Amino acid sequence: MQPQMLIISCGGTRKLLNQEEVAAAATELGFNVTVAEAGAFVALVNAADVLLAVHRAGLTNQIFQPTQAVVLQIVPWGNMDWMATNFYGQPARDMQLRYVEYYVDEEETSLKDKYPREHLVFSDPKALHKQGWQALAETIMKQDVKVNLARFRPFLLQAIDNLQE
């Protein structure tokens, strides 16, 4: 039986720009992939073995996943590790879900097309965090990501391995 993966799609910011390629890669590895807009899709989440999404509120849908399912969070650029782990990673573990994080690099963020590499968003993202929520909302939280499939593939395989434990 194929493991079920639900990819949360969104029309706002922090969307996965190469979502179709990620879905194709996951399908190639043996997942039965469903792509759905964030919203009222509890039944889809409950049927998914893996919930994959870029860091955003849609990941709260993990509360509808069955025990031992996998949450695969794509963490955007910009020193988002604390938020990623504490907002979604630890809660996933507390709900007896398996959790995988993928960290986007500078080449995978849409911020590279908006800011020079000397900008704080690249040179010192922590400094943006220290400036407060408004600074984050205007920069880091407005990015989209395009994952490098060669880098991302091992994380899909890790999701499969987690399901087989």
Side-chain angles (χ1 to χ4, degrees):
M1 186 164 116
Q2 286 184 301
Q4 304 295 309
M5 175 183 283
L6 174 62
I7 299 177
I8 299 175
S9 178
C10 65
T13 57
R14 287 176 279 141
K15 61 183 166 274
L16 182 57
L17 295 174
N18 59 337
Q19 176 178 283
E20 291 172 8
E21 293 172 357
V22 170
T27 299
E28 179 183 308
L29 292 173
F31 286 101
N32 182 10
V33 178
T34 302
V35 177
E37 288 286 328
F41 52 81
V42 172
L44 288 173
V45 174
N46 188 257
D49 297 305
V50 178
L51 179 65
L52 181 152
V54 177
H55 174 86
R56 63 178 302 114
L59 277 168
T60 59
N61 287 289
Q62 68 183 311
I63 65 171
F64 302 115
Q65 281 189 280
T67 302
Q68 303 305 319
V70 177
V71 175
L72 200 169
Q73 179 178 194
I74 299 173
V75 182
W77 175 259
N79 198 46
M80 300 284 292
D81 53 331
W82 185 90
M83 283 188 259
T85 300
N86 288 288
F87 293 177
Y88 303 111
Q90 193 55 51
R93 291 181 193 101
D94 291 345
M95 292 184 285
Q96 298 178 354
L97 300 172
R98 296 172 176 139
Y99 180 71
V100 178
E101 288 179 340
Y102 174 81
Y103 286 87
V104 168
D105 72 16
E106 292 179 22
E107 295 304 315
E108 296 171 298
T109 175
S110 62
L111 296 174
K112 73 182 182 333
D113 302 323
K114 194 171 184 180
Y115 298 100
R117 295 300 166 110
E118 305 80 41
H119 190 277
L120 280 180
V121 78
F122 293 111
S123 65
D124 191 4
K126 286 183 181 182
L128 286 172
H129 286 260
K130 290 177 185 174
Q131 291 177 19
W133 177 250
Q134 192 61 37
L136 288 178
E138 292 172 1
T139 55
I140 291 172
M141 302 309 273
K142 288 197 173 183
Q143 70 183 290
D144 295 321
V145 301
K146 183 175 182 178
V147 297
N148 174 322
L149 292 176
R151 278 189 70 228
F152 189 62
R153 184 182 176 92
F155 293 84
L156 292 171
L157 291 170
Q158 186 179 347
I160 290 172
D161 289 345
N162 282 339
L163 290 172
Q164 296 171 352
E165 290 178 0

